[in-house]
Amino acid sequence: MQGKHSDRIIVAIDGHSSSGKSTLAKQLAKHLGYIFVDTGAMYRAVTLYFIENRVDLTDQEDIQNALDKIKIDFKNENGRNLCYLNGQLVEDRIRSIEVSSLVSEVSAISAVRKFLVAQQRLMGKNKGLVMDGRDIGTVVFPDAEVKFFVTADRNIRAQRRYLEFKNKLRNVSYEEIFKNIIERDLTDTQRSDSPLKKAEDAILIDNSQLNQDEQFDLALSYVKKALEQSSK
Ligand code: DC
């Protein structure tokens, strides 16, 4: 499917925490031969840096000085897209409950968003990209050819995330995960800068009753339509 830049499109995927956005984004990117970018990982990497370097979240100067020292990269290894912070592999550490508990607060800071959105736009300059996050269809790429808004019942999201943690032998309770999901939904949708919301032209996918393959087939049918449109 890979073609000239003009044949390639941008697929923007937004949605609630633990709704399976990244899984869908990865599947689509693999199928299309596109780049996949998990922007949540970028906000998580900044949060990890802020925690480790005790950045004062109420001090704009402290925040800006810290951002000036942060470099985030993704490297594809054995089919996995791994996040590096200043040259160090942080893929596992950015998924910890400590980072999950602070990331919504950090991602509400405008200086942080400005810093990451600029990098995300650069990643899409040649198109051929599937990007997932909270503001991709509304702010980062408002002209994306396809936009999805992914959600599921909050109990189902918490249950799926709990099983994921359990499989990785992480000691976190279901209640802790459920509470984190509720809190993040609230902070993400209520912040003043780029709140999580469905873009008017986004396709809503509620996957509460769908498995991963069913979700993928549904999304792919829309992507195929958009590819036909853009090649006309
Ligand atoms: O997708 P995720 O759960 O890993 O994202 C972690 C947090 O980062 C999420 O609670 C809100 C924030 N985020 C954001 O504000 N904007 C994005 N484009 C991606 C994530």
Side-chain angles (χ1 to χ4, degrees):
M1 270 256 190
Q2 227 160 346
K4 303 190 295 287
H5 288 161
S6 56
D7 303 334
R8 295 153 69 86
I9 61 170
I10 291 183
V11 181
I13 306 184
D14 292 305
H16 290 112
S17 295
S18 304
S19 61
K21 305 178 296 296
S22 292
T23 305
L24 176 62
K26 263 181 239 168
Q27 286 172 309
L28 287 173
K30 189 170 176 212
H31 184 87
L32 298 164
Y34 281 13
I35 296 167
F36 155 65
V37 181
D38 167 8
T39 60
M42 300 171 82
Y43 287 92
R44 286 170 178 273
V46 168
T47 304
L48 179 65
Y49 186 93
F50 282 10
I51 293 173
E52 288 187 339
N53 294 277
R54 296 194 171 77
V55 174
D56 177 355
L57 300 188
T58 62
D59 182 340
Q60 291 303 321
E61 207 180 314
D62 206 18
I63 290 169
Q64 197 52 55
N65 285 338
L67 291 174
D68 290 343
K69 296 191 193 100
I70 293 178
K71 189 169 180 306
I72 298 167
D73 298 295
F74 290 99
K75 285 187 199 157
N76 200 304
E77 286 164 31
N78 303 322
R80 285 184 72 205
N81 208 33
L82 304 178
C83 183
Y84 283 77
L85 170 63
N86 293 334
Q88 267 199 338
L89 178 63
V90 290
E91 188 59 38
D92 281 339
R93 277 154 63 211
I94 60 172
R95 314 276 165 201
S96 68
I97 197 82
E98 290 74 24
V99 170
S100 297
S101 302
L102 195 69
V103 64
S104 280
E105 201 179 318
V106 170
S107 53
I109 301 171
S110 291
V112 172
R113 305 205 68 83
K114 200 169 155 212
F115 172 72
L116 293 179
V117 168
Q119 297 178 28
Q120 291 155 8
R121 290 197 176 132
L122 272 181
M123 293 171 179
K125 71 180 192 314
N126 293 331
K127 300 211 171 189
L129 175 86
V130 184
M131 186 174 271
D132 85 83
R134 302 292 187 293
D135 60 341
I136 312 305
T138 50
V139 174
V140 183
F141 296 118
D143 296 328
E145 286 81 355
V146 196
K147 298 178 187 176
F148 293 111
F149 189 89
V150 184
T151 190
D153 177 273
R154 41 167 70 163
N155 291 294
I156 294 178
R157 286 188 276 138
Q159 188 61 32
R160 288 177 185 156
R161 185 46 55 100
Y162 174 64
L163 288 177
E164 210 178 287
F165 270 68
K166 234 174 108 179
N167 287 339
K168 289 184 183 162
L169 302 175
R170 292 213 185 130
N171 196 14
V172 185
S173 69
Y174 173 83
E175 288 68 30
E176 210 173 340
I177 291 180
F178 184 73
K179 187 167 161 270
N180 176 253
I181 285 180
I182 305 291
E183 280 170 4
R184 284 206 287 146
D185 280 359
L186 203 70
T187 333
D188 293 348
T189 50
Q190 298 199 340
R191 68 179 175 227
S192 58
D193 189 344
S194 320
L196 167 66
K197 62 170 184 230
K198 181 183 164 301
E200 267 179 30
D201 51 350
I203 299 146
L204 177 71
I205 298 185
D206 181 332
N207 61 31
S208 303
Q209 306 299 333
L210 298 178
N211 67 30
Q212 286 181 4
D213 289 346
E214 288 165 338
Q215 168 170 257
F216 171 68
D217 289 344
L218 176 66
L220 186 62
S221 66
Y222 287 106
V223 170
K224 282 183 176 160
K225 272 188 223 150
L227 280 166
E228 273 166 32
Q229 281 293 321
S230 76
S231 64
K232 271 183 191 162

